[in-house]
């Protein structure tokens, strides 16, 4: 029975990966379009910010809903609404009325759907995948996600040259239709009877937090990962693309190469995780991997001044990420009862990813209004930083990578010594 369910998960994984490729191509093309319209890192930041804010807020309230309702139906409905968003972008584009603020609104709607889709998908994974294969599945997901990162910029550039943004949006919609049909007709997700019903969403929140209050190691892991996510999103989520474009005189090919190397590192890490034996020190592996990512990724990205250095930094930053995700997922699926997973995963999303929108919006603001002006101010400290990161356009954003590398490495190493976190080894 378990083997049959796992085969269904493989089919689901392949179809969702195809859909993810279409969405990633659209996202890459829209980032280039938005930055070309405004030449502002803030405009790119706002695209992500509008996606994450509703996602984080709603994540607090959807847990009990996820546990009480059919996971397959939730996933189908969420994906359908996201597809309508892509159709709306296409319609505005064909009418010649697409504006950056339209993308902000549509991203907010997609953020709402993600708040339902992601915890439902996480619970579905736990129902379809045997617990001893969770770590391997995390490696598979990292492999497919990063394969998408590698190929989506190249495919987006090719199709953009062939048919423009409308063609990319049509491909995105076709990939959605494929994944939707696979989930609808070929995948059955087991449902467990619920012992309790909840009169309000707040009851589900309380249940999730009550579990975390007893499992302090998991709570501390979520809190420290929230801080790590904050430092990461100050730069990679919204600053990397503008920085590379600024320091390469707007060379989109250079940006594509760096993004491809980011994905290649993740692919290598995903392959290693999917075939290696499960770590005996899972909590330590999480934070050691994060520390290495900040140390070699962010710092090298800061001091690099050409595509080769940025590419090496991209590999160094992304290769450890699958180890973080695999070990964290293994801990969560083994410690959280199946009947509570929807509530706890939803609360986890709110806590662990709640810092992301603040990192995104603060990163864009600091790049445009603090670090970039500071690096050309003639200040003595700016001169010292200039000897490390350079004095060309984009050096302020490079200085931000220097700061996040130091801060992220420090937080990761300190987390290794937390008593409650160490107990999860």
């Amino acid at each position: 029975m378990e083997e049959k369910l796992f085969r269904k998960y493989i089919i689901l994984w392949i179809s969702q990966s195809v859909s993810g490729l279409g969405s990633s191509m659209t996202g890459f093309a829209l980032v280039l379009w938005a930055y070309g319209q405004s030449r502002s890192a803030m405009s790119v930041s706002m695209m992500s910010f509008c996606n994450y804010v509703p996602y984080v807020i709603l994540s607090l309230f959807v847990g009990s809903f996820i546990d009480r309702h059919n996971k397959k139906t939730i996933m189908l409905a969420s994906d359908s609404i996201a597809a309508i968003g892509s159709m709306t972008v296409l319609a505005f584009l064909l009418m010649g009325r697409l504006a950056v603020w339209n993308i902000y609104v549509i991203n907010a709607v997609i953020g709402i759907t993600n708040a339902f889709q992601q915890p439902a998908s996480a619970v579905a994974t736990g129902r379809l995948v045997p617990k001893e294969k969770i770590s391997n599945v995390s490696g598979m997901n990292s492999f497919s996600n990063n394969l998408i990162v590698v190929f989506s910029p190249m495919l987006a550039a090719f199709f953009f040259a062939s048919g423009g943004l409308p063609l990319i949006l049509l491909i995105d919609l076709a990939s959605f239709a494929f994944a939707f049909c696979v989930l609808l007709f070929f995948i059955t997700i087991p449902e467990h009877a619920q012992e309790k019903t909840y009169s309000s969403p707040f009851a589900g929140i309380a249940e999730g937090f009550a579990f975390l209050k007893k499992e302090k190691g998991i709570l501390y892991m979520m809190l420290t990962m929230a801080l790590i996510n904050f430092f990461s999103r100050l730069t990679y989520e919204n600053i990397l693309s503008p920085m590379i474009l600024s320091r390469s005189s707007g060379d989109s090919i250079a940006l594509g190469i760096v993004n491809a190397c980011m994905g290649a590192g993740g692919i290598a890490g995903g392959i290693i995780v999917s075939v290696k034996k499960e770590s005996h020190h899972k909590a330590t592996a999480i934070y050691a991997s994060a520390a290495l990512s900040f140390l070699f990724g962010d710092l090298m990205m800061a001091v690099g001044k050409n595509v080769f250095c940025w590419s090496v930094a991209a590999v160094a930053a992304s290769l450890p990420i699958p180890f973080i995700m695999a070990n964290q997922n293994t801990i969560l699926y083994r410690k959280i009862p199946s009947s509570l997973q929807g509530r706890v995963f939803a609360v986890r999303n709110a806590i662990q990813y709640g810092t992301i929108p603040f990192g995104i919006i603060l990163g864009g603001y600091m790049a445009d209004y603090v670090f970039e002006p500071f690096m050309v101010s003639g200040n003595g400290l700016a001169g010292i930083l200039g000897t490390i990161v350079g004095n060309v356009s984009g050096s302020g954003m490079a200085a931000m990578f220097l700061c996040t590398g130091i801060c992220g490495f420090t937080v990761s190493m300190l987390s290794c010594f937390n008593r409650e976190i160490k107990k999860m080894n």
Side-chain angles (χ1 to χ4, degrees):
M1 180 63 179
E2 284 189 349
E3 193 63 33
K4 183 178 179 180
L5 289 175
F6 186 62
R7 284 199 296 270
K8 286 184 177 293
Y9 176 79
I10 297 296
I11 296 171
L12 178 63
W13 171 65
I14 293 171
S15 64
Q16 292 295 313
S17 297
V18 171
S19 180
L21 176 61
S23 299
S24 182
M25 287 169 56
T26 297
F28 183 81
L30 288 176
V31 165
L32 291 178
W33 182 86
Y35 188 71
Q37 294 288 310
S38 62
R39 307 300 299 177
S40 168
M42 193 67 173
S43 66
V44 178
S45 299
M46 284 298 297
M47 291 173 65
S48 297
F49 180 80
C50 290
N51 180 274
Y52 272 110
V53 167
Y55 168 76
V56 169
I57 293 174
L58 272 178
S59 289
L60 279 171
F61 302 98
V62 302
S64 59
F65 180 89
I66 299 296
D67 282 329
R68 287 186 289 112
H69 291 83
N70 187 282
K71 314 302 176 289
K72 177 176 174 177
T73 302
I74 294 171
M75 294 169 66
L76 289 170
S78 300
D79 289 344
S80 298
I81 295 171
I84 292 172
S86 294
M87 292 174 62
T88 304
V89 172
L90 178 60
F92 279 128
L93 183 64
L94 294 176
M95 292 187 294
R97 298 176 60 184
L98 183 63
V100 176
W101 72 265
N102 299 140
I103 300 173
Y104 296 163
V105 173
I106 291 167
N107 276 6
V109 173
I110 293 173
I112 293 172
T113 65
N114 284 342
F116 290 87
Q117 199 273 350
Q118 290 191 9
S121 179
V123 175
T125 299
R127 302 277 172 87
L128 295 173
V129 178
K131 284 184 169 55
E132 65 272 13
K133 292 186 178 181
I134 288 293
S135 178
N136 302 103
V137 163
S138 294
M140 290 166 51
N141 288 332
S142 295
F143 171 81
S144 61
N145 290 340
N146 286 285
L147 194 67
I148 288 169
V149 171
V150 170
F151 286 104
S152 61
M154 294 185 288
L155 290 173
F158 173 78
F159 288 118
F160 191 85
S162 303
L165 187 55
L167 177 58
I168 294 175
L169 288 166
L170 287 172
I171 293 171
D172 183 10
L173 291 170
S175 68
F176 152 76
F178 168 71
F180 183 91
C181 290
V182 168
L183 178 58
L184 180 63
F185 296 113
F186 298 101
I187 305 299
T188 302
I189 300 172
E191 294 292 334
H192 296 172
Q194 293 298 307
E195 297 178 358
K196 296 182 181 180
T197 58
Y198 299 90
S199 58
S200 75
F202 295 99
I205 297 172
E207 190 89 4
F209 275 110
F211 174 82
L212 292 176
K213 188 176 180 181
K214 293 185 292 184
E215 294 286 348
K216 291 184 179 179
I218 295 179
L219 177 60
Y220 291 157
M221 180 177 67
M222 292 178 183
L223 291 172
T224 52
M225 290 303 298
L227 193 54
I228 288 171
N229 282 336
F230 173 75
F231 290 126
S232 174
R233 290 326 194 274
L234 275 174
T235 47
Y236 284 102
E237 182 78 20
N238 56 346
I239 297 304
L240 179 63
S241 295
M243 186 192 78
I244 299 298
L245 291 172
S246 295
R247 289 163 75 87
S248 64
S249 302
D251 188 352
S252 59
I253 295 177
L255 176 60
I257 292 172
V258 174
N259 279 332
C261 289
M262 187 82 70
I267 289 172
I271 292 173
I272 295 170
V273 168
S274 63
V275 299
K276 80 175 190 68
K277 291 183 178 180
E278 187 177 297
S279 173
H280 295 296
H281 303 284
K282 299 175 186 62
T284 300
I286 291 171
Y287 295 102
S289 299
L292 290 172
S293 178
F294 280 113
L295 181 63
F296 293 106
D298 290 52
L299 296 185
M300 196 178 299
M301 195 70 74
V303 302
K305 299 179 178 65
N306 54 57
V307 176
F308 175 77
C309 291
W310 297 325
S311 299
V312 173
V315 173
S318 58
L319 192 147
I321 304 302
F323 294 87
I324 298 173
M325 301 306 298
N327 286 287
Q328 186 183 26
N329 285 339
T330 301
I331 291 172
L332 293 178
Y333 279 113
R334 289 188 176 173
K335 286 187 171 289
I336 303 172
S338 179
S339 60
L340 278 174
Q341 284 179 0
R343 276 154 282 174
V344 178
F345 275 119
V347 172
R348 186 278 298 266
N349 291 348
I351 294 175
Q352 190 164 312
Y353 306 136
T355 56
I356 289 177
F358 298 103
I360 290 170
I361 201 68
L362 185 60
Y365 177 85
M366 292 176 70
D368 284 346
Y369 301 108
V370 180
F371 277 87
E372 285 294 317
F374 176 73
M375 290 301 291
V376 297
S377 66
N379 183 282
L381 180 57
I384 296 173
L385 285 174
T387 62
I388 302 173
V389 301
N391 289 298
V392 299
S393 176
S395 294
M397 289 181 274
M400 291 177 63
F401 271 96
L402 186 67
C403 295
T404 56
I406 295 170
C407 294
F409 174 78
T410 303
V411 169
S412 300
M413 292 306 298
L414 290 176
S415 299
C416 284
F417 299 100
N418 180 279
R419 185 190 310 170
E420 296 295 336
I421 289 175
K422 286 172 67 177
K423 289 180 182 178
M424 296 191 297
N425 277 324

